[in-house]
Amino acid sequence: KISRWLKKIGDPVKLYEPILEVETDKVTTEVTASGAGTLLKLYFDEGAVVKMGAPIAYIGAVGEAVPVGEATPAQPQQVAQPVAPPVVAQPALQTTPVAPVSRRGNGSSMAARISPVVARIAAEHNVDVSTLTGTGEGGRVTKKDILIFVDGGGSMAVAPMTFTLKVSTPLPSVMPGETIKLNTMRRSIADHMVLSKHTSPHVTTIFEVDLSRVVVHRNANKAAFEHDGANLTFTPYFVQATVTALKANPLVNSSWSEAGIVVHRSINLGVAVSLGEEGLIVPVIKNADSMNLLGLARSINDLADRARHKQLKPDEVQGGTFTITNHGTSGSLFATPIINQPQCGILGVGLIEKRVVVVSQGGVDSIAIKPMCYIGLTFDHRILDGNSADDFVADIKQALENWS
């Protein structure tokens, strides 16, 4: 679905510049131009649902003849799966110093195989991505590839980006009695949540965690992480502790099926991000068990930043095997989140706040002020019993309270 045009007919367009936003049932993402010139024609209006592969716009030279496009939108009921970002047809242009690129034919051009964030970096540093060797799937140039090139002298280094995990915007102004139209994401969330509650019996167990050692470690390492281009929040600590617990309790990293319980080999952790009135999105850190704390911080920074700028791709919100939601960012102490089907469970992290607690040492009780928070696991009772669920959360608590 074409949700919004960022350019209008007659506007100049730079190579890799975002020209529209497309919407699937899970993400809204920008589509960038694979050539430079002038936007001569829009084949579809905002709100149209378009067949994948159909021309939706034409970029060329002023005065150039514009071909007739396929101006018949697909019927919404024909789109059973999330729609991939549509193609943008344009001629091979000679108006820029970079090699001409095209999205025609089999769609295998370099512009078809780079993400919006890579396109933005390439545009900022005048990098011709067609000259780079990509390490991604199918030779795709990744963010890491282009940053290595830039840092190596291709251009000036890109400044590291910071983020807050809760990416929110003000709620829309509504009037009593008004009916608010559902967007695709809100309807998808509603359907998924109702399905989840009807699918699995939800049970929640809650533990209290002392984060004293985590706070000390974070304060001691924030500057070093920032030097390495990562904003060290508390989220990577919870992610790494969860990975440790999932490895010790593999049954939690599973899904229910009628054939039996499917225990996943990979640990792909989803981290919920609020988009305010637009809804909630869950980017997935693939193979989170292969990353150290710095790698997790970088990945979380990147996913959250691109969620905020609507630059996530459909495959980056799929394939999760377990989910973490940080509801404490809004002041919530504990919650009972709904399972992200078909996963076994979801971990909720509450507000981190200093509280007075009783500390026992050497048989002597004393009062201390500690940074405390509640963590809660909502789990599928078909897969886990109370004891196995508690063992999992206890392992997370152990990892956080004994951080080193």
Side-chain angles (χ1 to χ4, degrees), residues 67-153:
V68 176
E70 302 175 17
T72 304
Q75 296 300 315
Q77 59 266 29
Q78 294 176 336
V79 185
Q81 299 295 328
V83 182
V87 298
V88 180
Q90 91 284 323
L93 298 170
Q94 303 297 331
T95 55
T96 64
V98 301
V101 291
S102 174
R103 288 292 302 269
R104 292 175 177 171
N106 60 12
S108 61
S109 72
M110 182 61 67
R113 294 186 282 117
I114 62 173
S115 67
V117 69
V118 172
R120 188 176 72 246
I121 295 172
E124 289 174 354
H125 299 278
N126 197 26
V127 176
D128 179 3
V129 293
S130 66
T131 64
L132 304 183
T133 301
T135 60
E137 183 178 354
R140 178 170 162 265
V141 175
T142 66
K143 179 183 177 182
K144 180 180 179 181
D145 295 331
I146 195 167
L147 287 180
I148 290 175
F149 175 79
V150 170
D151 291 341

Side-chain angles (χ1 to χ4, degrees), residues 160-233:
M161 293 178 285
T162 60
F163 82 108
T164 54
L165 182 62
K166 180 165 182 170
V167 185
S168 59
T169 53
L171 292 175
S173 298
V174 297
M175 296 296 292
E178 179 183 0
T179 299
I180 302 174
K181 186 177 180 181
L182 298 175
N183 60 24
T184 305
M185 180 180 287
R186 176 53 60 190
R187 186 179 294 278
S188 177
I189 290 171
D191 292 342
H192 194 65
M193 295 300 97
V194 171
L195 171 67
S196 182
K197 293 294 284 187
H198 281 299
T199 298
S200 58
H202 285 52
V203 180
T204 300
T205 181
I206 297 174
F207 280 55
E208 188 176 33
V209 180
D210 178 0
L211 294 176
S212 296
R213 291 199 173 192
V214 168
V215 169
V216 170
H217 185 275
R218 178 172 177 263
N219 290 339
N221 289 275
K222 283 179 66 175
F225 273 60
E226 186 174 350
H227 182 267
D228 287 330
N231 179 27
L232 183 59
T233 66

Side-chain angles (χ1 to χ4, degrees), residues 15 25-26 121 209 256 292 312 357:
L15 181 66
D25 65 340
K26 290 187 176 181
I121 295 172
V209 180
W256 176 270
N292 60 13
L312 291 175
V357 296

Side-chain angles (χ1 to χ4, degrees), residues 329-354:
T329 55
S330 57
S332 169
L333 292 177
F334 51 83
T336 55
I338 298 176
I339 298 170
N340 188 6
Q341 294 293 333
Q343 298 169 19
C344 171
I346 179 171
L347 185 77
V349 179
L351 174 68
I352 301 172
E353 63 176 357
K354 292 180 179 180

Side-chain angles (χ1 to χ4, degrees), residues 12-88:
V13 176
K14 298 178 182 178
L15 181 66
Y16 308 136
E17 185 177 13
I19 58 173
L20 77 152
E21 293 177 353
V22 294
E23 181 181 325
T24 74
D25 65 340
K26 290 187 176 181
V27 296
T28 297
T29 187
E30 292 178 345
V31 176
T32 58
S34 52
T38 300
L39 184 58
L40 300 179
K41 185 175 180 63
L42 303 179
Y43 292 106
F44 295 97
D45 294 330
E46 293 179 353
V49 177
V50 185
K51 295 177 182 179
M52 187 170 69
I56 57 174
Y58 193 89
I59 300 170
V62 176
E64 180 180 346
V66 180
V68 176
E70 302 175 17
T72 304
Q75 296 300 315
Q77 59 266 29
Q78 294 176 336
V79 185
Q81 299 295 328
V83 182
V87 298
V88 180

Side-chain angles (χ1 to χ4, degrees), residues 3 19 90 107 111 155 194 237 263 286 294 312 315 328 378 388 395:
S3 59
I19 58 173
Q90 91 284 323
S155 183
V194 171
Y237 292 94
V263 181
K286 303 292 177 65
L294 176 60
L312 291 175
D315 64 347
T378 297
S388 52
D395 285 342

